[in-house]
Every structure is written in structure tokens, then in C-alpha cells.
Amino acid sequence: MESNPVSADQPPTDVSGANVVLEHQGSAMVVRVTGELDLVTTPMLEESIGTALGDGSPLLVIDLTGVTFLASGALSALVAAHQAGADRTTVRIVAANRATVLPLQMTGLDQVLAVFRTLADALAAGER
Amino acid sequence: MHPRDKPAAPAARLDRQGPASIGLPTTVRVQLTDWLHGLGASDDAVFNIGLATYEAMANAVVHAYPFGMAGEVEMHAWVDEGTVTVTVADHGRWKPPLSEPDPLGGRGLVLIRQLAEQASVVPGEQGTLIRMSWTL
């Protein structure tokens, strides 16, 4: 049985990638992610989280509503954000679909991280 | 007859291998999910098999070949009497994090064990083999 080699040298054309946008919503920072969070795109998320935490806002919401694939590396980035925020910045996650909710539940992180169903809920929960 | 002239029956297996890179798991996952949709697998099954296989390949890329070390990763998937089996093999020496939990590898293996109906991780001198299966 012959295996078809996959070239790693050429940029894959069938990968949708991810888009990460950082914005202010009142006194909160929102990192809004769309697309797939895999080994290639997770560093973009980590960079935006670092920028957002450096801003010193009391609340950081990482909105994964538009994320269609979430791998364990991205879960680690969310945990790192939660830990880095510590007492200074409250970190909340918005996860609304199977692709994001299931990995959070299966690893028990939905009990460790503050997970909300909508961005409005995450913002309305107040700053602590 | 040229292979392309055959009726489009889904192949009973999918075999991919390539040099370890951070893009390889995604490239293979996309091909695997296309293959599974062609077999008529449910969306739930495609999600579970796709993510578990991604995590197995990511483990190989990150742990078997750290710091961009060169090496091959192989993925084999086949369907037999309604059961899909996927194996992912590397030729490196990563340790399955059973005795020394690693935040990344540990979580990947947790996902694999939850997503697969059956999963085994076999470390060996020649590399590590992860074998997973699902009933379609």
C-alpha cells in the first residue's frame, strides 16, 4: 500500500487558518478569534493575549464564538492566559459550539476557566 | 482503465506520511475528514476522529521531534466491517507523559482517550505508535 507523501515545504492551500482581532469594549479587552486554532495559528492567539494583558485592563474576554477547531495547544494558551492574568486581569472565555465546548469539557478546563456562552454574558458578568 | 475513470467509490483506507512540521497535522486532518465524509460518517464521528488524529499527530510533531528536528510522521486509516481504525506513528523518542505530566502532551492524550472508543499508546525503541478506533 503506497503512502502519498505530503509536502511540508509548500504552504498548505487547504488550511483555513485563523484571524485574531483585539478590541476595547468599555474597560474590557476582547480578543476575538475566528477560524482554526491549531499548532500553526495558536501563536497568533498567544501574541494577542500577551498584548491584551500588557494593556492592564481589569477584564480580558477571549471570544471563541467563531472558532471551528480547537486543539490542545490552544487550550494550554487559554490556561496560560488565566494564570498570567492572576489578580490583575480577570480572564473569561466565550465558547458556543461543539468544536470549542467539547475540548474544554473533556479536559475539565470548563471547571478551571470562566466559560460563557455569549460575549454579552461574559461582559455583563461584571469586573471582579 | 485509468484509476481516475473508475466510479467514485470511497477508498477503504487512507495513508499519509510526511516530514514533521507544525502544518502537517492540519493538512492530514483535512484529508482525513474529507475521506470520512465520503464514507458517510456522521458529523460527530468526523469531529471525534479528526480531533483525536490531530492530537496524535501534534504529539508526534511536538514531542518526538522537538526544536524542529527532522523526522517522519505516518498516519494510516482504514475501515473494516464498520470500524474505523487510525494509527499515527513517529520514529522519535517522546515519552508518553504517564509518569511526568506535560501540560501540552498530557492534555492531548486526555483528549485522545476521551474522543476514541479505543485508544492505545505504544512507545518503542523505533518510535511511538498511537492506535485509535471507532464504530461508525
Side-chain angles (χ1 to χ4, degrees):
Chain A
M1 205 70 58
E2 209 176 299
S3 291
N4 297 337
V6 175
S7 172
D9 296 324
Q10 293 161 355
T13 52
D14 52 356
V15 175
S16 58
N19 190 38
V20 183
V21 177
L22 185 59
E23 60 194 28
H24 286 273
Q25 294 243 356
S27 60
M29 292 290 279
V30 177
V31 172
R32 195 191 302 268
V33 191
T34 51
E36 302 189 344
L37 283 173
D38 57 16
L39 286 175
V40 176
T41 58
T42 294
M44 290 164 54
L45 170 65
E46 289 169 332
E47 196 182 322
S48 285
I49 288 171
T51 304
L53 289 174
D55 185 73
S57 296
L59 176 62
L60 166 61
V61 179
I62 303 170
D63 184 359
L64 306 176
T65 305
V67 169
T68 55
F69 180 75
L70 184 79
S72 63
L75 292 174
S76 296
L78 299 179
V79 173
H82 170 72
Q83 291 169 344
D87 296 334
R88 202 162 44 94
T89 302
T90 299
V91 176
R92 294 186 180 139
I93 315 296
V94 181
N97 61 47
R98 178 185 178 81
T100 50
V101 171
L102 226 58
L104 285 165
Q105 287 176 344
M106 285 179 163
T107 52
L109 289 178
D110 59 331
Q111 304 300 311
V112 177
L113 304 169
V115 182
F116 293 79
R117 301 295 288 190
T118 67
L119 176 60
D121 286 351
L123 291 169
E127 293 162 8
R128 278 187 289 275
Chain B
M1 185 160 73
H2 190 276
R4 272 190 304 211
D5 297 334
K6 285 182 186 171
R13 58 179 299 135
L14 182 75
D15 302 278
R16 292 289 183 270
Q17 73 173 73
S21 73
I22 59 169
L24 182 69
T26 294
T27 304
V28 171
R29 181 178 66 87
V30 169
Q31 295 172 348
L32 179 67
T33 54
D34 285 349
W35 178 75
L36 289 165
H37 280 302
L39 291 174
S42 69
D43 287 346
D44 284 2
V46 173
F47 174 86
N48 292 344
I49 300 170
L51 180 55
T53 303
Y54 184 91
E55 292 295 340
M57 296 202 66
N59 253 311
V61 169
V62 174
H63 294 276
Y65 309 114
F67 314 114
M69 276 169 59
E72 292 277 314
V73 180
E74 294 177 41
M75 192 281 309
H76 303 282
W78 64 93
V79 58
D80 184 29
E81 296 186 351
T83 297
V84 172
T85 304
V86 177
T87 64
V88 172
D90 63 63
H91 307 289
R93 303 278 307 258
W94 70 276
K95 288 183 194 163
L98 299 174
S99 55
E100 41 179 287
D102 168 317
L104 175 65
R107 224 164 263 138
L109 286 184
V110 167
L111 283 176
I112 288 170
R113 294 195 193 284
Q114 298 251 347
L115 291 161
E117 287 172 20
Q118 294 191 327
S120 63
V121 180
V122 185
E125 287 299 306
Q126 305 300 316
T128 300
L129 177 75
I130 297 181
R131 182 188 175 100
M132 304 167 287
S133 62
W134 292 263
T135 310
L136 279 190

